[in-house]
């Protein structure tokens, strides 16, 4: 894999691959990969993939699911993709209640381009484009996409998970499975936010990145199911 | 009483030495090697194989899926 050592993307890829294999949907699944670090996701999971323009993965997933309703369709996006350039597509796809699953990996920075500030960067968090820490007066507040998604009538299952420990990874896998099952049944769209680390972007080691996530990110991004109907 | 014993098999050429498995291991069976693999990373080694209980924590946290865990039941 092309990811940096300790990158959370590897764990999330593994969970998705395991869930698809357990469901026996290898030949029936179409993923939509984003622009960002996960742009090469199609190299690692042996299913059909489409590559979307930056932020447009929910729109493409909508089209695929409507043309192939019997297929399992999911989008795999980062925080720059789903929370910045693709917010409109994300909100409208969720609001329309498309029968897709969006997997949103939130590591609070733009990892691919070198760790710049993202909409999800925490207040006070230092990145290369806010070297003194993010200030709410200048850069505004971090964006909580799942909380936003909860207010939309089209969503069926909205949850926030993390992949920092063995127990969290197991829970995350169960959430992915539930969302994939839901998207095959219909009844609305599914969104899973997965809190991940970016040890390269955060300029730390993978071990300390996990500790930092536990200490800082969990206060603002509370882990758990937000909507389930 | 039967006891579970584990054996960890690591793809050392694929390992990037992120150290997450070493942190996750509850029995401190794993450690990073002093040598590097062909990519220049200090890869993970099963330094104390006798203590492994086969819990698969290392395999679950490994982002690069380089770890396989085998379990056998032994009678003590």
């Amino acid at each position: 894999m092309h990811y940096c050592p300790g990158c959370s993307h590897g764990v999330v890829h593994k969970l998705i691959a395991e869930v698809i294999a357990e469901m026996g949907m290898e030949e029936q699944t179409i993923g939509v990969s984003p622009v960002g670090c996960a742009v090469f996701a199609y190299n690692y999971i042996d299913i059909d993939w489409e590559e979307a323009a930056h932020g447009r993965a929910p729109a493409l997933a909508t089209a695929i699911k409507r043309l192939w309703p019997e297929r399992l369709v999911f989008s795999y996006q980062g925080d720059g993709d789903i929370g910045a350039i693709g917010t409109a597509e994300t909100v409208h796809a969720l609001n329309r209640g498309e029968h897709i699953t969006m997997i949103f990996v939130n590591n609070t920075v733009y990892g691919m381009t070198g760790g710049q500030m993202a909409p999800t960067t925490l207040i006070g968090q230092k990145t290369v484009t806010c070297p003194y820490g993010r200030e709410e007066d200048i850069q505004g507040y971090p964006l909580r996409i799942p909380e936003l998604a909860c207010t939309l009538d089209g969503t069926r299952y909205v949850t926030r998970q993390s992949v920092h420990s063995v127990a969290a990874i197991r829970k995350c896998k169960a959430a992915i499975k539930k969302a994939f099952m839901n998207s095959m049944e219909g009844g609305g769209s599914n969104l899973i936010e997965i809190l991940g680390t970016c040890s390269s972007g955060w300029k730390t080691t993978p071990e300390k990145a996990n500790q930092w996530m536990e200490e800082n990110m969990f206060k603002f991004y509370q882990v758990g199911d937000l909507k389930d109907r | 009483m039967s006891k579970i014993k584990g054996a960890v098999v690591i793809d050392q050429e694929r390992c990037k030495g992120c150290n997450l498995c070493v942190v996750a291991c509850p029995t401190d069976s794993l450690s990073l090697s002093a040598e590097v693999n062909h990519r220049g990373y200090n890869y993970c080694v099963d330094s104390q194989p006798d203590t492994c209980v086969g819990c698969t924590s290392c395999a679950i946290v490994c982002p690069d899926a380089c770890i396989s865990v085998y379990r056998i039941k032994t009678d003590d």
Side-chain angles (χ1 to χ4, degrees), chain B residues 25-62:
Chain B
C25 181
T27 58
D28 297 327
S29 305
L30 304 174
S31 62
L32 292 188
S33 70
E35 291 89 48
V36 293
N37 59 17
H38 78 292
R39 296 202 267 186
Y41 294 119
N42 296 93
Y43 52 85
C44 167
V45 286
D46 191 1
S47 51
Q48 291 179 344
D50 296 338
T51 60
C52 178
V53 292
C55 70
T56 71
S57 294
C58 51
I60 290 168
V61 299
C62 180

Side-chain angles (χ1 to χ4, degrees), chain A residues 1-7 10-11 14 165-166 169-170 206-207 210, chain B residues 16 18-20 23 39 41 55-57 59-65:
Chain A
M1 286 202 189
H2 71 284
Y3 299 116
C4 308
C7 178
V11 180
K14 206 165 63 173
S165 69
V166 177
I169 292 169
R170 285 185 201 274
E207 184 191 344
N210 275 341
Chain B
K16 292 178 191 156
C18 70
N19 205 38
L20 289 179
V23 177
R39 296 202 267 186
Y41 294 119
C55 70
T56 71
S57 294
I60 290 168
V61 299
C62 180
D64 294 283

Side-chain angles (χ1 to χ4, degrees), chain A residues 46-124:
Chain A
D46 191 13
I47 54 170
D48 290 330
W49 285 93
E50 284 277 350
E51 177 62 53
H54 202 357
R56 275 61 181 166
L60 191 52
T62 300
I64 296 167
K65 185 68 181 179
R66 287 187 178 197
L67 289 166
W68 298 83
E70 73 284 6
R71 301 289 168 109
L72 170 61
V73 182
F74 71 93
S75 71
Y76 186 102
Q77 298 174 271
D79 44 327
D81 202 70
I82 209 167
I85 194 166
T87 316
E89 281 77 4
T90 305
V91 169
H92 286 290
L94 291 169
N95 196 36
R96 287 194 305 268
E98 301 295 343
H99 303 159
I100 56 170
T101 300
M102 292 184 202
I103 292 171
F104 162 33
V105 182
N106 180 4
N107 58 15
T108 73
V109 289
Y110 284 86
M112 189 197 210
T113 47
Q116 289 84 359
M117 191 187 76
T120 49
T121 300
L122 300 172
I123 298 293

